[in-house]
Amino acid sequence: IISVETVDGYVFGAFCSTPWRSQSSWFGSVESFLWRLKNPRIKDDRQTYNNDDDNEIVIYPYTGSDNMIQYCTGTTLAVGGGTDWTRTIDGSPYADEPWGIGFLVDGDLMGGETNSCVTFANPRLCDQSKKGNEFDVHALEVWTVTPGISVEEAEKLEMVRMFVEKQE
């Protein structure tokens, strides 16, 4: 689970059930999704936090339109890359939004971008009132869930899983 809070108070991220690895092609599984909180955490005056208990999470599940789920290199971490809205029945529901990678974090972890993408049929995940698609990171959190009870056991299980994937 990856979670970003921008300097403007927008909170969003991704759930990816395939472990991250550096490679030059897209990978990932259909259980992945993008998500965002409906309202930013900072109020309009930018001075106080919005502590709404009813701030809903909006989920954008995998659409099955392409295989562009996860991408990771030494300089980029991305989730959702499909831009071919012509393959969908109605075209883009976000015609006024930039199309591209759904959620991208730069290698320095200080910023990134978010766009509408067909992989998850999502709008930009933050500040949709601006024309730009870039954001500055205020906080970034990453969680992992594993069936192992120690780091060593989790690493061993992951190595077995990767070996099985390569044999298929």
Side-chain angles (χ1 to χ4, degrees):
I1 301 170
I2 301 169
S3 176
V4 167
E5 180 177 3
T6 70
V7 295
D8 296 322
Y10 292 89
V11 179
F12 55 90
F15 169 82
C16 300
S17 60
T18 300
W20 287 96
R21 56 183 172 266
S22 184
Q23 67 182 55
S24 60
S25 61
W26 289 90
F27 61 97
S29 65
V30 301
E31 292 89 10
S32 300
F33 59 85
L34 293 176
W35 62 271
R36 70 177 175 91
L37 290 182
K38 193 171 186 178
N39 301 313
R41 293 189 63 220
I42 297 176
K43 291 183 179 182
D44 291 334
D45 63 8
R46 306 275 186 228
Q47 301 297 317
T48 58
Y49 274 93
N50 186 356
N51 292 320
D52 289 342
D53 290 335
D54 63 347
N55 198 354
E56 298 176 32
I57 188 169
V58 181
I59 304 289
Y60 301 98
Y62 175 67
T63 63
S65 64
D66 57 45
N67 293 324
M68 300 174 82
I69 299 170
Q70 292 173 245
Y71 182 84
C72 183
T73 66
T75 59
T76 302
L77 181 143
V79 183
T83 60
D84 188 4
W85 284 100
T86 61
R87 295 175 54 187
T88 64
I89 295 172
D90 298 324
S92 173
Y94 313 107
D96 296 335
E97 301 243 346
W99 302 347
I101 293 175
F103 171 54
L104 178 140
V105 177
D106 297 329
D108 64 4
L109 307 178
M110 300 299 291
E113 69 178 63
T114 177
N115 299 283
S116 171
C117 84
V118 71
T119 307
F120 297 102
N122 63 284
R124 283 181 288 165
L125 299 174
C126 68
D127 205 355
Q128 297 166 10
S129 64
K130 292 183 181 177
K131 293 290 182 187
N133 58 353
E134 295 183 359
F135 59 84
D136 293 321
V137 172
H138 172 71
L140 176 98
E141 296 183 20
V142 179
W143 299 283
T144 186
V145 179
T146 179
I149 57 174
S150 68
V151 172
E152 294 79 20
E153 187 178 337
E155 288 174 345
K156 184 178 177 182
L157 289 169
E158 183 56 30
M159 294 304 289
V160 169
R161 181 177 175 180
M162 289 175 66
F163 175 77
V164 169
E165 285 179 1
K166 288 182 181 181
Q167 302 306 313
E168 294 177 343

